[in-house]
Amino acid sequence: MAQAYPYFYNGTWTFKQDKCRTSMPLDKPRIWLDFNECCACGPAGEPVYFFSRADIVNDSCGNDVELYEGMAVSVFDDDLDEAGEPDALLAEGILVRNTLSGHPQIKWLIQLTETACGGKDPYVYWMSSLP
């Protein structure tokens, strides 16, 4: 996970964490998520991932995004299909403040929400799965 650094935003100092930009075509601006950083399960068994150390991140287009509790977030991770071609992993989720002991440096977690894309995983789908 990238380091957070001081960042002047909207007239005040806060912290920013640069996330991954991509040249891969996506369906909309999304924020990069490392799908290898699953850290817990939510109340209904939904996966929860480490998300950010800071209150500002950038999306796949380079835009600053200010994070807040309960925010709906669209995320992606780079992946390859069976032929070795780029095919982004996609998911949707809700931001929650980190309350996990042992990881005080992480400020935000993302709790994934189920998708209507159909497939083996109700939470994660591939760019190629979209109509």
Side-chain angles (χ1 to χ4, degrees), residues 65-93:
V65 178
E66 188 170 4
L67 308 178
Y68 57 88
E69 181 83 19
M71 179 180 188
V73 179
S74 298
V75 295
F76 80 99
D77 197 2
D78 296 322
D79 196 37
L80 301 175
D81 65 15
E82 298 82 20
E85 296 297 317
D87 190 19
L89 286 171
L90 308 176
E92 310 297 325

PDB file of all heavy atoms in Angstrom, residues 65-93:
ATOM      1  N   VAL A  65     -10.165  12.475  -5.029  1.00  0.00           N
ATOM      2  CA  VAL A  65     -11.434  12.032  -4.457  1.00  0.00           C
ATOM      3  C   VAL A  65     -11.315  12.129  -2.947  1.00  0.00           C
ATOM      4  O   VAL A  65     -10.420  11.526  -2.351  1.00  0.00           O
ATOM      5  CB  VAL A  65     -11.761  10.574  -4.874  1.00  0.00           C
ATOM      6  CG1 VAL A  65     -13.054  10.115  -4.233  1.00  0.00           C
ATOM      7  CG2 VAL A  65     -11.819  10.449  -6.392  1.00  0.00           C
ATOM      8  N   GLU A  66     -12.201  12.907  -2.323  1.00  0.00           N
ATOM      9  CA  GLU A  66     -12.215  13.059  -0.873  1.00  0.00           C
ATOM     10  C   GLU A  66     -13.092  11.968  -0.271  1.00  0.00           C
ATOM     11  O   GLU A  66     -14.263  11.824  -0.625  1.00  0.00           O
ATOM     12  CB  GLU A  66     -12.746  14.440  -0.503  1.00  0.00           C
ATOM     13  CG  GLU A  66     -12.610  14.759   0.959  1.00  0.00           C
ATOM     14  CD  GLU A  66     -12.928  16.215   1.270  1.00  0.00           C
ATOM     15  OE1 GLU A  66     -13.334  16.963   0.360  1.00  0.00           O
ATOM     16  OE2 GLU A  66     -12.767  16.584   2.446  1.00  0.00           O
ATOM     17  N   LEU A  67     -12.521  11.187   0.632  1.00  0.00           N
ATOM     18  CA  LEU A  67     -13.213  10.040   1.215  1.00  0.00           C
ATOM     19  C   LEU A  67     -14.018  10.440   2.443  1.00  0.00           C
ATOM     20  O   LEU A  67     -13.627  11.335   3.188  1.00  0.00           O
ATOM     21  CB  LEU A  67     -12.193   8.964   1.593  1.00  0.00           C
ATOM     22  CG  LEU A  67     -11.218   8.543   0.491  1.00  0.00           C
ATOM     23  CD1 LEU A  67     -10.239   7.515   1.019  1.00  0.00           C
ATOM     24  CD2 LEU A  67     -11.965   8.023  -0.729  1.00  0.00           C
ATOM     25  N   TYR A  68     -15.140   9.733   2.657  1.00  0.00           N
ATOM     26  CA  TYR A  68     -15.959   9.949   3.853  1.00  0.00           C
ATOM     27  C   TYR A  68     -16.704   8.668   4.195  1.00  0.00           C
ATOM     28  O   TYR A  68     -16.901   7.783   3.354  1.00  0.00           O
ATOM     29  CB  TYR A  68     -16.927  11.122   3.661  1.00  0.00           C
ATOM     30  CG  TYR A  68     -17.864  10.986   2.481  1.00  0.00           C
ATOM     31  CD1 TYR A  68     -19.088  10.335   2.598  1.00  0.00           C
ATOM     32  CD2 TYR A  68     -17.508  11.504   1.237  1.00  0.00           C
ATOM     33  CE1 TYR A  68     -19.937  10.206   1.513  1.00  0.00           C
ATOM     34  CE2 TYR A  68     -18.360  11.388   0.146  1.00  0.00           C
ATOM     35  CZ  TYR A  68     -19.580  10.735   0.302  1.00  0.00           C
ATOM     36  OH  TYR A  68     -20.415  10.610  -0.790  1.00  0.00           O
ATOM     37  N   GLU A  69     -17.105   8.560   5.435  1.00  0.00           N
ATOM     38  CA  GLU A  69     -17.826   7.393   5.953  1.00  0.00           C
ATOM     39  C   GLU A  69     -19.103   7.159   5.154  1.00  0.00           C
ATOM     40  O   GLU A  69     -19.870   8.084   4.890  1.00  0.00           O
ATOM     41  CB  GLU A  69     -18.177   7.629   7.430  1.00  0.00           C
ATOM     42  CG  GLU A  69     -18.907   6.490   8.086  1.00  0.00           C
ATOM     43  CD  GLU A  69     -17.990   5.382   8.574  1.00  0.00           C
ATOM     44  OE1 GLU A  69     -16.784   5.625   8.737  1.00  0.00           O
ATOM     45  OE2 GLU A  69     -18.493   4.271   8.787  1.00  0.00           O
ATOM     46  N   GLY A  70     -19.330   5.927   4.720  1.00  0.00           N
ATOM     47  CA  GLY A  70     -20.535   5.567   3.993  1.00  0.00           C
ATOM     48  C   GLY A  70     -20.495   5.861   2.505  1.00  0.00           C
ATOM     49  O   GLY A  70     -21.476   5.609   1.802  1.00  0.00           O
ATOM     50  N   MET A  71     -19.378   6.357   2.017  1.00  0.00           N
ATOM     51  CA  MET A  71     -19.252   6.708   0.597  1.00  0.00           C
ATOM     52  C   MET A  71     -19.309   5.448  -0.276  1.00  0.00           C
ATOM     53  O   MET A  71     -18.641   4.460   0.002  1.00  0.00           O
ATOM     54  CB  MET A  71     -17.917   7.418   0.380  1.00  0.00           C
ATOM     55  CG  MET A  71     -17.629   7.828  -1.025  1.00  0.00           C
ATOM     56  SD  MET A  71     -15.996   8.661  -1.049  1.00  0.00           S
ATOM     57  CE  MET A  71     -15.990   9.244  -2.725  1.00  0.00           C
ATOM     58  N   ALA A  72     -20.116   5.496  -1.332  1.00  0.00           N
ATOM     59  CA  ALA A  72     -20.137   4.418  -2.317  1.00  0.00           C
ATOM     60  C   ALA A  72     -18.946   4.607  -3.251  1.00  0.00           C
ATOM     61  O   ALA A  72     -18.713   5.709  -3.747  1.00  0.00           O
ATOM     62  CB  ALA A  72     -21.437   4.451  -3.103  1.00  0.00           C
ATOM     63  N   VAL A  73     -18.186   3.540  -3.460  1.00  0.00           N
ATOM     64  CA  VAL A  73     -16.954   3.623  -4.231  1.00  0.00           C
ATOM     65  C   VAL A  73     -16.919   2.491  -5.258  1.00  0.00           C
ATOM     66  O   VAL A  73     -17.245   1.349  -4.944  1.00  0.00           O
ATOM     67  CB  VAL A  73     -15.719   3.513  -3.304  1.00  0.00           C
ATOM     68  CG1 VAL A  73     -14.436   3.564  -4.094  1.00  0.00           C
ATOM     69  CG2 VAL A  73     -15.729   4.605  -2.262  1.00  0.00           C
ATOM     70  N   SER A  74     -16.512   2.828  -6.471  1.00  0.00           N
ATOM     71  CA  SER A  74     -16.268   1.849  -7.523  1.00  0.00           C
ATOM     72  C   SER A  74     -14.763   1.631  -7.597  1.00  0.00           C
ATOM     73  O   SER A  74     -14.000   2.598  -7.665  1.00  0.00           O
ATOM     74  CB  SER A  74     -16.784   2.365  -8.867  1.00  0.00           C
ATOM     75  OG  SER A  74     -18.171   2.569  -8.821  1.00  0.00           O
ATOM     76  N   VAL A  75     -14.337   0.366  -7.580  1.00  0.00           N
ATOM     77  CA  VAL A  75     -12.914   0.044  -7.536  1.00  0.00           C
ATOM     78  C   VAL A  75     -12.526  -0.901  -8.668  1.00  0.00           C
ATOM     79  O   VAL A  75     -13.379  -1.540  -9.283  1.00  0.00           O
ATOM     80  CB  VAL A  75     -12.527  -0.575  -6.173  1.00  0.00           C
ATOM     81  CG1 VAL A  75     -12.716   0.426  -5.043  1.00  0.00           C
ATOM     82  CG2 VAL A  75     -13.318  -1.842  -5.896  1.00  0.00           C
ATOM     83  N   PHE A  76     -11.210  -0.961  -8.924  1.00  0.00           N
ATOM     84  CA  PHE A  76     -10.666  -1.872  -9.933  1.00  0.00           C
ATOM     85  C   PHE A  76      -9.300  -2.365  -9.493  1.00  0.00           C
ATOM     86  O   PHE A  76      -8.658  -1.778  -8.630  1.00  0.00           O
ATOM     87  CB  PHE A  76     -10.542  -1.170 -11.295  1.00  0.00           C
ATOM     88  CG  PHE A  76      -9.326  -0.292 -11.414  1.00  0.00           C
ATOM     89  CD1 PHE A  76      -8.184  -0.746 -12.050  1.00  0.00           C
ATOM     90  CD2 PHE A  76      -9.310   0.992 -10.882  1.00  0.00           C
ATOM     91  CE1 PHE A  76      -7.052   0.063 -12.158  1.00  0.00           C
ATOM     92  CE2 PHE A  76      -8.189   1.805 -10.986  1.00  0.00           C
ATOM     93  CZ  PHE A  76      -7.058   1.335 -11.626  1.00  0.00           C
ATOM     94  N   ASP A  77      -8.882  -3.460 -10.099  1.00  0.00           N
ATOM     95  CA  ASP A  77      -7.514  -3.938  -9.977  1.00  0.00           C
ATOM     96  C   ASP A  77      -7.125  -4.496 -11.337  1.00  0.00           C
ATOM     97  O   ASP A  77      -7.973  -5.013 -12.075  1.00  0.00           O
ATOM     98  CB  ASP A  77      -7.389  -5.018  -8.908  1.00  0.00           C
ATOM     99  CG  ASP A  77      -5.953  -5.265  -8.460  1.00  0.00           C
ATOM    100  OD1 ASP A  77      -5.029  -4.578  -8.948  1.00  0.00           O
ATOM    101  OD2 ASP A  77      -5.745  -6.151  -7.609  1.00  0.00           O
ATOM    102  N   ASP A  78      -5.868  -4.365 -11.691  1.00  0.00           N
ATOM    103  CA  ASP A  78      -5.384  -4.898 -12.958  1.00  0.00           C
ATOM    104  C   ASP A  78      -5.417  -6.424 -12.905  1.00  0.00           C
ATOM    105  O   ASP A  78      -5.086  -7.028 -11.878  1.00  0.00           O
ATOM    106  CB  ASP A  78      -3.948  -4.435 -13.222  1.00  0.00           C
ATOM    107  CG  ASP A  78      -3.865  -2.929 -13.373  1.00  0.00           C
ATOM    108  OD1 ASP A  78      -4.784  -2.348 -13.973  1.00  0.00           O
ATOM    109  OD2 ASP A  78      -2.880  -2.341 -12.903  1.00  0.00           O
ATOM    110  N   ASP A  79      -5.820  -7.033 -14.007  1.00  0.00           N
ATOM    111  CA  ASP A  79      -5.872  -8.484 -14.094  1.00  0.00           C
ATOM    112  C   ASP A  79      -5.710  -8.872 -15.556  1.00  0.00           C
ATOM    113  O   ASP A  79      -5.742  -8.015 -16.445  1.00  0.00           O
ATOM    114  CB  ASP A  79      -7.209  -9.004 -13.537  1.00  0.00           C
ATOM    115  CG  ASP A  79      -7.179 -10.492 -13.246  1.00  0.00           C
ATOM    116  OD1 ASP A  79      -6.129 -10.993 -12.793  1.00  0.00           O
ATOM    117  OD2 ASP A  79      -8.200 -11.168 -13.473  1.00  0.00           O
ATOM    118  N   LEU A  80      -5.533 -10.147 -15.799  1.00  0.00           N
ATOM    119  CA  LEU A  80      -5.418 -10.661 -17.160  1.00  0.00           C
ATOM    120  C   LEU A  80      -6.461 -11.746 -17.379  1.00  0.00           C
ATOM    121  O   LEU A  80      -6.794 -12.493 -16.454  1.00  0.00           O
ATOM    122  CB  LEU A  80      -4.023 -11.252 -17.397  1.00  0.00           C
ATOM    123  CG  LEU A  80      -2.836 -10.313 -17.217  1.00  0.00           C
ATOM    124  CD1 LEU A  80      -1.527 -11.075 -17.372  1.00  0.00           C
ATOM    125  CD2 LEU A  80      -2.909  -9.164 -18.210  1.00  0.00           C
ATOM    126  N   ASP A  81      -6.965 -11.842 -18.608  1.00  0.00           N
ATOM    127  CA  ASP A  81      -7.907 -12.912 -18.922  1.00  0.00           C
ATOM    128  C   ASP A  81      -7.140 -14.186 -19.273  1.00  0.00           C
ATOM    129  O   ASP A  81      -5.910 -14.242 -19.172  1.00  0.00           O
ATOM    130  CB  ASP A  81      -8.875 -12.488 -20.033  1.00  0.00           C
ATOM    131  CG  ASP A  81      -8.194 -12.237 -21.376  1.00  0.00           C
ATOM    132  OD1 ASP A  81      -7.020 -12.641 -21.562  1.00  0.00           O
ATOM    133  OD2 ASP A  81      -8.838 -11.639 -22.254  1.00  0.00           O
ATOM    134  N   GLU A  82      -7.863 -15.223 -19.699  1.00  0.00           N
ATOM    135  CA  GLU A  82      -7.248 -16.521 -20.001  1.00  0.00           C
ATOM    136  C   GLU A  82      -6.221 -16.429 -21.127  1.00  0.00           C
ATOM    137  O   GLU A  82      -5.303 -17.244 -21.217  1.00  0.00           O
ATOM    138  CB  GLU A  82      -8.321 -17.548 -20.399  1.00  0.00           C
ATOM    139  CG  GLU A  82      -9.334 -17.844 -19.318  1.00  0.00           C
ATOM    140  CD  GLU A  82     -10.453 -16.805 -19.254  1.00  0.00           C
ATOM    141  OE1 GLU A  82     -10.700 -16.068 -20.237  1.00  0.00           O
ATOM    142  OE2 GLU A  82     -11.072 -16.692 -18.181  1.00  0.00           O
ATOM    143  N   ALA A  83      -6.382 -15.440 -22.014  1.00  0.00           N
ATOM    144  CA  ALA A  83      -5.456 -15.266 -23.143  1.00  0.00           C
ATOM    145  C   ALA A  83      -4.294 -14.335 -22.804  1.00  0.00           C
ATOM    146  O   ALA A  83      -3.481 -14.008 -23.663  1.00  0.00           O
ATOM    147  CB  ALA A  83      -6.212 -14.724 -24.354  1.00  0.00           C
ATOM    148  N   GLY A  84      -4.219 -13.886 -21.551  1.00  0.00           N
ATOM    149  CA  GLY A  84      -3.143 -12.992 -21.143  1.00  0.00           C
ATOM    150  C   GLY A  84      -3.379 -11.538 -21.499  1.00  0.00           C
ATOM    151  O   GLY A  84      -2.472 -10.726 -21.414  1.00  0.00           O
ATOM    152  N   GLU A  85      -4.601 -11.201 -21.890  1.00  0.00           N
ATOM    153  CA  GLU A  85      -4.955  -9.827 -22.240  1.00  0.00           C
ATOM    154  C   GLU A  85      -5.491  -9.092 -21.006  1.00  0.00           C
ATOM    155  O   GLU A  85      -6.144  -9.702 -20.157  1.00  0.00           O
ATOM    156  CB  GLU A  85      -6.006  -9.812 -23.345  1.00  0.00           C
ATOM    157  CG  GLU A  85      -5.526 -10.401 -24.652  1.00  0.00           C
ATOM    158  CD  GLU A  85      -4.382  -9.617 -25.256  1.00  0.00           C
ATOM    159  OE1 GLU A  85      -4.430  -8.371 -25.245  1.00  0.00           O
ATOM    160  OE2 GLU A  85      -3.420 -10.259 -25.734  1.00  0.00           O
ATOM    161  N   PRO A  86      -5.265  -7.775 -20.908  1.00  0.00           N
ATOM    162  CA  PRO A  86      -5.779  -7.007 -19.759  1.00  0.00           C
ATOM    163  C   PRO A  86      -7.297  -7.114 -19.642  1.00  0.00           C
ATOM    164  O   PRO A  86      -8.014  -7.014 -20.629  1.00  0.00           O
ATOM    165  CB  PRO A  86      -5.366  -5.570 -20.089  1.00  0.00           C
ATOM    166  CG  PRO A  86      -4.237  -5.697 -21.048  1.00  0.00           C
ATOM    167  CD  PRO A  86      -4.505  -6.945 -21.839  1.00  0.00           C
ATOM    168  N   ASP A  87      -7.768  -7.376 -18.441  1.00  0.00           N
ATOM    169  CA  ASP A  87      -9.195  -7.499 -18.148  1.00  0.00           C
ATOM    170  C   ASP A  87      -9.371  -7.145 -16.675  1.00  0.00           C
ATOM    171  O   ASP A  87      -9.184  -7.981 -15.810  1.00  0.00           O
ATOM    172  CB  ASP A  87      -9.677  -8.915 -18.437  1.00  0.00           C
ATOM    173  CG  ASP A  87     -11.190  -9.048 -18.387  1.00  0.00           C
ATOM    174  OD1 ASP A  87     -11.890  -8.016 -18.481  1.00  0.00           O
ATOM    175  OD2 ASP A  87     -11.678 -10.194 -18.252  1.00  0.00           O
ATOM    176  N   ALA A  88      -9.696  -5.902 -16.394  1.00  0.00           N
ATOM    177  CA  ALA A  88      -9.720  -5.396 -15.017  1.00  0.00           C
ATOM    178  C   ALA A  88     -10.732  -6.128 -14.149  1.00  0.00           C
ATOM    179  O   ALA A  88     -11.834  -6.461 -14.588  1.00  0.00           O
ATOM    180  CB  ALA A  88     -10.045  -3.908 -15.023  1.00  0.00           C
ATOM    181  N   LEU A  89     -10.342  -6.389 -12.899  1.00  0.00           N
ATOM    182  CA  LEU A  89     -11.275  -6.834 -11.872  1.00  0.00           C
ATOM    183  C   LEU A  89     -12.021  -5.606 -11.383  1.00  0.00           C
ATOM    184  O   LEU A  89     -11.411  -4.550 -11.159  1.00  0.00           O
ATOM    185  CB  LEU A  89     -10.527  -7.460 -10.693  1.00  0.00           C
ATOM    186  CG  LEU A  89      -9.940  -8.836 -10.901  1.00  0.00           C
ATOM    187  CD1 LEU A  89      -9.050  -9.191  -9.722  1.00  0.00           C
ATOM    188  CD2 LEU A  89     -11.022  -9.868 -11.075  1.00  0.00           C
ATOM    189  N   LEU A  90     -13.322  -5.713 -11.182  1.00  0.00           N
ATOM    190  CA  LEU A  90     -14.150  -4.592 -10.759  1.00  0.00           C
ATOM    191  C   LEU A  90     -14.976  -4.975  -9.542  1.00  0.00           C
ATOM    192  O   LEU A  90     -15.310  -6.155  -9.349  1.00  0.00           O
ATOM    193  CB  LEU A  90     -15.100  -4.168 -11.883  1.00  0.00           C
ATOM    194  CG  LEU A  90     -14.488  -3.890 -13.251  1.00  0.00           C
ATOM    195  CD1 LEU A  90     -15.585  -3.584 -14.261  1.00  0.00           C
ATOM    196  CD2 LEU A  90     -13.484  -2.765 -13.188  1.00  0.00           C
ATOM    197  N   ALA A  91     -15.344  -3.986  -8.738  1.00  0.00           N
ATOM    198  CA  ALA A  91     -16.223  -4.209  -7.589  1.00  0.00           C
ATOM    199  C   ALA A  91     -16.804  -2.865  -7.162  1.00  0.00           C
ATOM    200  O   ALA A  91     -16.321  -1.802  -7.568  1.00  0.00           O
ATOM    201  CB  ALA A  91     -15.470  -4.859  -6.436  1.00  0.00           C
ATOM    202  N   GLU A  92     -17.819  -2.954  -6.345  1.00  0.00           N
ATOM    203  CA  GLU A  92     -18.455  -1.783  -5.737  1.00  0.00           C
ATOM    204  C   GLU A  92     -18.408  -1.991  -4.237  1.00  0.00           C
ATOM    205  O   GLU A  92     -18.418  -3.132  -3.752  1.00  0.00           O
ATOM    206  CB  GLU A  92     -19.909  -1.651  -6.201  1.00  0.00           C
ATOM    207  CG  GLU A  92     -20.112  -1.721  -7.707  1.00  0.00           C
ATOM    208  CD  GLU A  92     -19.440  -0.605  -8.474  1.00  0.00           C
ATOM    209  OE1 GLU A  92     -19.387   0.528  -7.954  1.00  0.00           O
ATOM    210  OE2 GLU A  92     -18.969  -0.864  -9.595  1.00  0.00           O
ATOM    211  N   GLY A  93     -18.379  -0.893  -3.495  1.00  0.00           N
ATOM    212  CA  GLY A  93     -18.341  -1.040  -2.049  1.00  0.00           C
ATOM    213  C   GLY A  93     -18.679   0.244  -1.331  1.00  0.00           C
ATOM    214  O   GLY A  93     -18.930   1.281  -1.947  1.00  0.00           O
TER     215      GLY A  93
END
